[in-house]
Amino acid sequence: MAAYPQLSHNAAFRRLWWGQTAGFLGFQVATLVTSTTAISVLQASNAEIGVVNAAQLAAFLFLGLPAGAWVDRWRKKPTMVVANVARTLALAWIPVAWLVGVLDVLQLIIVSALVGVSSVFFDVASQSLIPRLVAVDQISAANGRLEASFQVTRIAGPGIAGWLMGLVSIPLSFLAASLTYALSAITIARIPVEEPPSERPTDGGLFSQIREGIAFVRSEPLLGPLFLSIAWASLTTQGVFVLTPVIALRILGVSPSALGTLLAIGALGGIAGAFLHSRVVTRLGVGRTIVWCYTIGSAAAIGLAIAPYAGDYALAVFIVANVVMAFFSTLYNITQMSLRQSLCPRPLLGRVNATFRFAVWGAMPVGALLAGWAADYLGIVPTTVLFIALSLTAGVAMALTPAARLRTVPLPHQVESAQELECAP
């Protein structure tokens, strides 16, 4: 059995961590600049804003499952490097198109789709590489550090994006995101990890491999029942996410740079959640952390809908809602991701991660499209309230799964059925 150093002395994990952090920063900058470009530069409709957001996530719906089977056949580190190079080049096109005067919503959609395709392969490979770099009992801590970095970039990213949009121009700010992906590619390329060639599939068929990943998720007593609940949660919360900058820019009337600052302040809750994760799980247990943190975080989004009617307190309500949402959603994300990675056999990691990515991220473009179209017909605030209400039903569904009673995370194959798990009283 391989000997793994502690995370603080693990050079391979540190480089993955720094490479991921650079990519997280690029994601945060690109996400805000893309939405702001559509809203403020191209004057896109609510429906078009939904399409732009959906385009970046559509690849998880259409390529999510085969990507897992392909990544299981490939070395993970080179896959991540190539994906980052592709994202670098795609984002660099936007300022070029703007400078020559040809930028339009269609090009923004195409670039978002290309970034999304690259992100599918990067994310699946990244989640599959973590168990190769750290011991099983370190996976949760490793995810906690990555999530902490993600939350730090949620503060730095929007702030940097807002500063850049005020300093230069909105489209030129894409160059910052492009450069962070280039830095991520260089850092990840230097990870010292030995990846033996993957075994060729004995059945010779891509679709049979995909079915194998789906079959594992369906048959696993914890992951199977939780699968659909997480997918529905993803769809509904994405609708709220898409409408958040629309509320700020079009209803509250804040500037793009101010929006970056507001979102950065809100992300402080995510950092707190990442650092308190171990204590919360120890106290509540795995299952209760997943259910309660998701539900409370979803309910806190009502502050976004209240903000337009809060008068002088509108920005304060907007910020508080984002802080609470970030805190509880971070606890939820770390816990459910660590549960998935801990239970999955290593040879199936790519396919199982891709199956969840297909359900979780694949549901997001559907939520983005529905939110954009509904906002054009119902209005922005009523649509936000509708999606918040729908997201709470996912919390109810999670509470009814066997995972909700889970106290600790069992190692793979330690249990035969949900009844044999160590559950919370």
Side-chain angles (χ1 to χ4, degrees), residues 61-369:
L61 181 62
F62 297 108
L63 291 177
L65 291 176
W70 284 324
V71 167
D72 277 340
R73 303 180 183 187
W74 302 340
R75 289 183 172 90
K76 312 305 181 284
K77 186 176 77 172
T79 300
M80 296 167 69
V81 172
V82 171
N84 268 335
V85 171
R87 292 193 286 195
T88 299
L89 297 176
L91 289 176
W93 169 252
I94 296 296
V96 174
W98 180 75
L99 288 172
V100 300
V102 298
L103 182 63
D104 56 18
V105 174
L106 178 60
Q107 290 183 60
L108 203 60
I109 292 171
I110 292 172
V111 168
S112 295
L114 292 174
V115 171
V117 170
S118 303
S119 296
V120 169
F121 291 99
F122 182 92
D123 290 349
V124 173
S126 173
Q127 290 192 11
S128 301
L129 184 62
I130 289 174
R132 187 171 291 278
L133 302 181
V134 305
V136 172
D137 60 357
Q138 296 175 350
I139 289 177
S140 182
N143 282 328
R145 294 195 182 190
L146 291 171
E147 187 68 19
S149 291
F150 179 70
Q151 297 303 331
V152 168
T153 60
R154 285 190 66 204
I155 292 178
I160 291 172
W163 175 74
L164 286 170
M165 289 187 288
L167 180 67
V168 284
S169 70
I170 296 174
L172 284 177
S173 302
F174 277 99
L175 286 176
S178 179
L179 291 174
T180 58
Y181 282 129
L183 177 61
S184 178
I186 294 170
T187 305
I188 289 172
R190 299 181 65 244
I191 294 176
V193 58
E194 293 184 5
E195 292 189 77
S198 300
E199 297 182 3
R200 297 184 61 85
T202 56
D203 51 37
L206 173 65
F207 290 104
S208 62
Q209 285 190 290
I210 293 173
R211 286 195 297 270
E212 189 176 359
I214 296 174
F216 174 82
V217 173
R218 291 180 60 186
S219 62
E220 218 294 322
L222 289 174
L223 299 183
L226 197 60
F227 179 76
L228 293 178
S229 300
I230 292 176
W232 178 244
S234 177
L235 185 152
T236 54
T237 55
Q238 182 64 18
V240 177
F241 175 81
V242 167
L243 296 174
T244 298
V246 182
I247 291 173
L249 294 172
R250 288 187 172 168
I251 300 180
L252 301 183
V254 304
S255 67
S257 57
L259 174 60
T261 302
L262 293 177
L263 295 178
I265 295 172
L268 288 170
I271 293 181
F275 283 108
L276 293 175
H277 169 256
S278 296
R279 295 183 183 179
V280 173
V281 173
T282 299
R283 186 171 185 83
L284 294 181
V286 171
R288 288 176 179 173
T289 300
I290 291 174
V291 174
W292 284 106
C293 289
Y294 169 80
T295 303
I296 296 172
S298 297
I302 197 64
L304 303 176
I306 294 173
Y309 307 101
D312 293 339
Y313 301 99
L315 295 184
V317 173
F318 186 88
I319 290 172
V320 170
N322 276 282
V323 168
V324 178
M325 289 164 58
F327 177 80
F328 287 102
S329 65
T330 297
L331 291 169
Y332 158 75
N333 281 325
I334 294 176
T335 308
Q336 64 91 4
M337 185 185 302
S338 299
L339 175 64
R340 182 170 79 240
Q341 290 177 322
S342 298
L343 290 173
C344 180
R346 184 172 292 178
L348 288 176
L349 270 171
R351 278 161 281 181
V352 171
N353 285 331
T355 300
F356 267 82
R357 283 299 198 192
F358 168 77
V360 175
W361 289 77
M364 288 182 180
V366 179
L369 288 173

